[in-house]
Amino acid sequence: MTQRISNGVAGRPRQPFENRKRWMLTLFVFCLAVITYSQEISVQDSVPVLPVLTDSIQAPVADTEVADTDSTARIRDFTHLEAPAAAIDTTRKINYWQLTERTGEMVPAHPDTFLTDYFHRTHAEGAGVAVAYLGNLGLPMESRVFFERADRSQFMFNDGFYAYMKSPGTFNFINTKIPHSNVAYQRAGSRQLMEERLRALLTTNIGKKLNLGIDLDYLYARGYYQSQSAKHLEWVLFGSYLSDRHRVHLYINPADYTNAENGGVVNDNDISHPTSQGSNTTTRDIPTHLGVGSQNSTWNRLRGNRAWLNYHYNLGFERKTELVNEEGDTLTRFIPVSSVIYTFDYRNNQKSFYTNDSSSVAQYYAGNTDFFADRRGGVRDSTSWWSLSNTFALSLREGFSHWAKFDLTAFLTHDIRSFTMMTADPLIDEEKTLNATFLGGELAKRGGKILRYHAQGSFGVLGENLGDLNLSGTVETRIPVWGDTASIQANASIKNLEPTWYEKHYRSRYFWWDNDFGKVRRLYVGGAINIPHTQTRFSLGIENVSNYIYFDKTGLPAQYNGSVQVMAARLDQNFQWKALHWDNQIVYQKSGKPEIIPLPDLAACSSVYIQFPITVLTIQLGANAHYWTKYYAPSYEPAIQQFKLQDELQVGHYPLVSAFVNCHLKQTRFFVEYYNAGARFISPTNYFSLPHYPVNPTILKLGLSVDFIN
C-alpha cells in the first residue's frame, strides 16, 4: 500500500458517532478530577491476613511496590512455579486477584504493568499468537489457534469480542493501602480516520476491609475503509469487603458495542496492487460490498449488562501466633475451616442489525430467502436474552490442619434463561424460557512445592442441560533441571455439552434455522513443561471432537456427525544477549478435517529489540512480526456476526511487520509504533486478515499509560 492510499481523507462519520470531541474532553476532565481527589484520601492499612486460593496454572501475587509498578519484565509468564501466597500480604501496598465465576475463589493475579510488548497489547494482534479479525480495532475476531478458542457462549454474538469484553473471572480486583489510579490513552491515524482508546481505573480503600473502584474503557476507531467504524463504551463498578468471617465481591458491568459493516472490499487487487488505482485514490475510496456511497450505513449493535455478587461466610477458629502487640499480648490469627458460599449472576444482552441502505444489503443477500419481506422499514433484525443464575456451595479449606491437604467444594447451580426472537408480526416477539440445574464439585491442592492439582466438574441434573458433563483437571509437579527448578503439567478434560439455544434456533431477515443437534462431545489430553530460568515453555495437546458445530458456507449452523482430531504443539522461547532480546511464540497445529476446522499449519509471533537505559528512562527499540501459513480462513457473515467456512480464497504467508519504540519512565509507559511497516518493502501487499478484509495500512500509533500511586 502506498502512502497516498494510507493517508486518505474522507467525510465526517455520521451517527451514532456524533459529538465525539466534546464527550471525550468531558470524560477525560472528569477522570483527572477524580484522580486528583483520590490522592487526598488516606487509608490506615490493608486487610487482615486471609487465606488466598491460588490456581496451579496461575502466577503468584505480583510484587507491586510503587517502585516496581511498571516493570521491564516480559508479560509472558515464566514465574508461576513460585510457591503460592498463603495470604494477602499486608506489607505490599497493592494486591491484585481474580475470582472463579461460580464460587468466587480468589486467584492472585498480575496487573498489566509490563513494558515489554505494551504497544502490542493495545491492538487486535495482541490478543494471541495469530488472530483473524476484520482489520480495524474493536471489530469481531477469532483466534487462528484452535486451543485458544472457548466453547460457544449462550449469547454467541458476544463471542467475536472476547478480547474486549470483561467478566468477573478475568477482572482484577484490588486492595490498596494507598489510592490508586491509572489512565491509558492510545491513538493512530489522521483526524478523519483516527483510532482512539481511553481506559481509566480509579480505586481506593475505605478503611482496612472495604475497597471500591470504577474501570472505564472507551474505544472509537473510525476505520481506514468505508463503513468500518467501531465504538465501545464499557464500565465496571467493582468493590470488595474482606474480613475474617465475611468476604464479599461485587461486579457491575454495563457495555455498549457498535460497529459498522462493509462486507469486505469488492476487489482485493485494490489492496495487493494499489498502483492499478487512480492517483487520487484513498483507502476510503476502495469499493466495499456494504456502505456504498456513505461512510457508515449498515450496523451491528450489542448492548448488555451484568450484575455479579459473591459472598463467603467462613467458619473457623483462632490460633495463637508467635507475634505480640505493644502491650505484650500474644496475637491470634483466624484459621478458616470451611465456607458457605453464594453467587448471584444476572446477565442480559440485545443484538441489533440494521441499515440505512436496504438496497445494498438486499443485493448482498440476494441468494438468501427474505423471511420478513412484508415488513416495512428495511432491515431491522433484533434478538435478546437474559439469564439469572444462583449458586450455593460448601467448601472445606486446605491447610487448617496437618491432615487437610486439599480444598474440597461442592456446589449446586440453578440457571434461568429467556430468549426473544422476531416473528412475522413486527408487534409480536417469540419468547422461550429454559431452566437448567447443575451439580458439581472441585478438588484442589494449591499449596506445596512437590505436587499441586486442581480438578473440577459439573453435571446437568435437570432441565435444558440434562446429561451435560464438564470435567477438567490439572496436575503439576517440580523437577530439577540444570541446577534449577522446572515444572511439568498434565491436563485433561471431558465434555458432553448441549448445543446452545442460538445454535438450534434463530430468526432474522435473511437467516432462519431450527436444528435438532446432538450433544457435542470433546476429549482433550495435553501437557506442558516450563523452565523459568531459560525462559522456555513447551506444550502439546490433542483433542477429539464429535458432533462439532460450525457455520457452513451459507452462514447456517451445521453439525458434523463424525469425529475431528486436532493436534497442536506450542513453543514460547525468549533469548537475551546483553542488550539484545529476541522473544518468540510458535504454534504448529494440524486439523484432521480442514474442510470442517480450517487451521494454519504454522502460526508465529516474533519480536526483536534492544533494551537500554538513559538515566531513569528505559527504552526498547525494535520490530515484531506475525506470520501464519496459507489456509482457507473462515469468512465473516455480517448479519449474524459469525465466522463461516469458505474454500475459494486462501489467506496467509504474509508477515505483518511493525517497528516500535517502547519506553518506561518511573510510573509511565509510552510507545511509538509504525504499524504494518512491511507494506513499504514487501510486495504484493497481501495484508489480509480474513478473505476480503485487509488490516489497516501503514500508520503511526502512539500510546501512554500513567499510574498515579501516592
Side-chain angles (χ1 to χ4, degrees):
M1 182 65 66
T2 63
Q3 185 63 38
R4 57 180 174 79
I5 291 179
S6 65
N7 289 337
V9 178
R12 184 184 179 190
R14 303 189 336 187
Q15 289 289 349
F17 294 149
E18 296 291 340
N19 301 321
R20 186 269 312 169
K21 285 187 176 179
R22 182 182 304 171
W23 195 96
M24 287 284 291
L25 180 60
T26 302
L27 179 63
F28 195 75
V29 170
F30 167 78
C31 292
L32 290 179
V34 176
I35 291 168
T36 303
Y37 170 75
S38 70
Q39 312 311 313
E40 303 298 326
I41 304 174
S42 61
V43 179
Q44 293 181 355
D45 203 349
S46 185
V47 295
V49 175
L50 284 176
V52 175
L53 303 178
T54 61
D55 191 331
S56 61
I57 62 172
Q58 294 290 336
V61 174
D63 189 359
T64 52
E65 295 292 342
V66 173
D68 299 324
T69 299
D70 273 296
S71 170
T72 56
R74 293 161 175 78
I75 188 64
R76 302 177 193 117
D77 177 27
F78 296 98
T79 62
H80 73 282
L81 298 177
E82 298 176 16
I88 291 179
D89 189 346
T90 56
T91 64
R92 292 190 175 104
K93 291 182 175 67
I94 306 177
N95 285 275
Y96 300 83
W97 65 91
Q98 296 178 356
L99 300 169
T100 58
E101 291 194 11
R102 197 186 302 257
T103 58
E105 302 297 349
M106 298 172 66
V107 181
H110 283 300
D112 184 5
T113 56
F114 295 91
L115 174 62
T116 301
D117 286 344
Y118 169 55
F119 76 96
H120 189 230
R121 297 191 298 280
T122 62
H123 49 66
E125 284 83 7
V129 178
V131 176
Y133 71 112
L134 305 189
N136 192 29
L137 186 70
L139 298 182
M141 63 174 63
E142 179 183 60
S143 176
R144 303 183 200 276
V145 179
F146 183 75
F147 292 149
E148 290 182 352
R149 301 175 187 174
D151 294 327
R152 193 168 283 122
S153 68
Q154 292 294 332
F155 195 73
M156 66 181 187
F157 312 103
N158 285 343
D159 294 350
F161 299 92
Y162 70 92
Y164 303 101
M165 288 188 167
K166 298 174 174 59
S167 70
T170 59
F171 185 79
N172 281 354
F173 287 83
I174 303 174
N175 184 271
T176 174
K177 285 184 175 183
I178 52 180
H180 172 47
S181 307
N182 174 270
V183 174
Y185 177 75
Q186 66 186 78
R187 63 173 291 174
S190 61
R191 178 179 177 182
Q192 290 78 16
L193 309 175
M194 190 181 298
E195 163 193 304
E196 293 179 290
R197 190 175 187 180
L198 171 67
R199 286 175 284 184
L201 169 67
L202 313 169
T203 184
T204 189
N205 265 54
I206 303 174
K208 296 181 179 180
K209 303 174 183 179
L210 178 63
N211 176 270
L212 297 174
I214 182 171
D215 185 275
L216 164 71
D217 192 347
Y218 175 75
L219 182 153
Y220 183 22
R222 294 153 186 78
Y224 271 76
Y225 307 93
Q226 61 181 335
S227 197
Q228 197 196 29
S229 301
K231 176 185 176 183
H232 299 176
L233 178 58
E234 187 167 11
W235 299 83
V236 176
L237 305 175
F238 64 96
S240 61
Y241 177 85
L242 306 177
S243 69
D244 287 345
R245 295 285 182 179
H246 307 278
R247 195 168 83 199
V248 184
H249 288 90
L250 175 66
Y251 176 94
I252 299 174
N253 178 208
D256 190 337
Y257 291 6
T258 304
N259 68 277
E261 300 286 359
N262 65 16
V265 299
V266 174
N267 186 356
D268 290 353
N269 284 332
D270 291 338
I271 303 298
S272 57
H273 299 86
T275 56
S276 64
Q277 305 174 77
S279 59
N280 295 321
T281 300
T282 70
T283 52
R284 282 290 180 90
D285 296 322
I286 295 175
T288 58
H289 289 283
L290 300 176
V292 178
S294 65
Q295 293 300 326
N296 301 294
S297 58
T298 303
W299 306 85
N300 267 298
R301 185 179 185 185
L302 296 173
R303 290 173 290 171
N305 297 278
R306 187 168 188 178
W308 184 90
L309 173 71
N310 176 261
Y311 172 67
H312 279 235
Y313 178 71
N314 296 319
L315 303 171
F317 59 91
E318 299 286 342
R319 175 181 292 170
K320 291 184 178 180
T321 69
E322 298 179 356
L323 303 176
V324 296
N325 59 19
E326 295 179 355
E327 289 75 24
D329 299 327
T330 301
L331 298 178
T332 61
R333 176 184 175 185
F334 179 77
I335 305 298
V337 176
S338 61
S339 298
V340 180
I341 305 168
Y342 169 70
T343 303
F344 169 88
D345 191 0
Y346 173 76
R347 287 177 281 184
N348 68 64
N349 292 99
Q350 180 181 5
K351 168 189 157 52
S352 301
F353 175 69
Y354 55 97
T355 185
N356 298 324
D357 186 8
S358 296
S359 59
S360 293
V361 174
Q363 182 179 358
Y364 187 79
Y365 290 109
N368 295 50
T369 302
D370 190 341
F371 295 102
F372 298 107
D374 296 333
R375 278 200 171 192
R376 297 179 180 178
V379 178
R380 293 290 187 272
D381 293 347
S382 65
T383 186
S384 62
W385 88 305
W386 62 264
S387 169
L388 177 61
S389 176
N390 291 278
T391 297
F392 300 90
L394 296 174
S395 178
L396 184 66
R397 295 300 180 187
E398 175 185 3
F400 71 87
S401 176
H402 67 277
W403 53 267
K405 302 296 186 181
F406 51 80
D407 281 338
L408 181 61
T409 303
F411 62 82
L412 178 68
T413 298
H414 180 251
D415 190 13
I416 305 174
R417 309 169 196 146
S418 180
F419 301 86
T420 302
M421 294 187 296
M422 299 165 56
T423 67
D425 188 338
L427 300 178
I428 300 176
D429 288 330
E430 176 184 346
E431 296 186 12
K432 180 67 174 181
T433 301
L434 306 174
N435 287 267
T437 303
F438 300 89
L439 183 64
E442 180 180 21
L443 178 67
K445 177 178 172 57
R446 300 180 173 93
K449 296 182 178 181
I450 303 301
L451 181 67
R452 303 181 203 172
Y453 51 83
H454 178 264
Q456 59 184 358
S458 64
F459 308 88
V461 294
L462 290 173
E464 173 72 5
N465 294 89
L466 177 65
D468 275 18
L469 172 66
N470 193 338
L471 298 175
S472 62
T474 300
V475 178
E476 178 184 14
T477 187
R478 290 186 166 199
I479 60 172
V481 173
W482 300 320
D484 209 318
T485 303
S487 83
I488 294 180
Q489 293 181 7
N491 43 73
S493 64
I494 302 174
K495 299 179 181 180
N496 186 46
L497 304 178
E498 181 71 15
T500 67
W501 175 261
Y502 283 113
E503 289 175 324
K504 295 186 290 185
H505 308 284
Y506 185 63
R507 311 276 188 271
S508 70
R509 185 86 184 225
Y510 298 107
F511 291 91
W512 183 310
W513 62 74
D514 290 288
N515 298 312
D516 185 19
F517 289 152
K519 289 185 181 294
V520 179
R521 298 187 295 273
R522 310 183 71 150
L523 173 62
Y524 171 83
V525 178
I529 181 168
N530 193 340
I531 309 174
H533 56 285
T534 63
Q535 301 184 75
T536 304
R537 180 178 174 86
F538 175 78
S539 60
L540 177 68
I542 301 174
E543 183 166 13
N544 184 84
V545 187
S546 301
N547 293 341
Y548 181 75
I549 296 175
Y550 59 96
F551 284 83
D552 64 19
K553 299 174 187 177
T554 66
L556 297 174
Q559 187 168 52
Y560 179 68
N561 294 325
S563 296
V564 181
Q565 291 77 38
V566 178
M567 182 277 294
R570 172 170 175 165
L571 174 66
D572 289 51
Q573 180 63 67
N574 297 342
F575 300 98
Q576 178 180 352
W577 183 72
K578 297 183 179 180
L580 180 64
H581 296 253
W582 184 24
D583 300 346
N584 301 277
Q585 296 172 294
I586 304 171
V587 176
Y588 175 79
Q589 56 187 355
K590 206 70 178 177
S591 169
K593 291 283 184 179
E595 65 274 19
I596 302 297
I597 305 179
L599 300 170
D601 289 343
L602 182 68
C605 175
S606 185
S607 180
V608 178
Y609 58 94
I610 57 173
Q611 178 177 309
F612 56 92
I614 300 179
T615 63
V616 295
L617 175 67
T618 300
I619 299 176
Q620 294 178 340
L621 174 64
N624 81 332
H626 284 269
Y627 173 85
W628 61 91
T629 52
K630 275 191 173 183
Y631 75 114
Y632 289 105
S635 60
Y636 174 73
E637 180 50 67
I640 56 175
Q641 294 183 291
Q642 301 299 307
F643 297 93
K644 64 180 183 180
L645 297 180
Q646 62 87 28
D647 58 4
E648 298 178 355
L649 181 65
Q650 289 189 325
V651 172
H653 193 53
Y654 182 91
L656 182 63
V657 180
S658 300
F660 64 87
V661 179
N662 225 3
C663 301
H664 165 230
L665 177 63
K666 294 186 177 180
Q667 295 168 209
T668 302
R669 290 172 293 170
F670 56 96
F671 71 84
V672 178
E673 179 188 11
Y674 195 48
Y675 178 80
N676 196 6
R680 294 294 184 185
F681 54 85
I682 300 176
S683 182
T685 50
N686 288 317
Y687 47 79
F688 290 90
S689 184
L690 287 170
H692 312 304
Y693 283 94
V695 301
N696 286 336
T698 301
I699 55 176
L700 192 67
K701 294 190 175 187
L702 310 172
L704 172 72
S705 176
V706 183
D707 286 290
F708 298 88
I709 305 177
N710 294 329

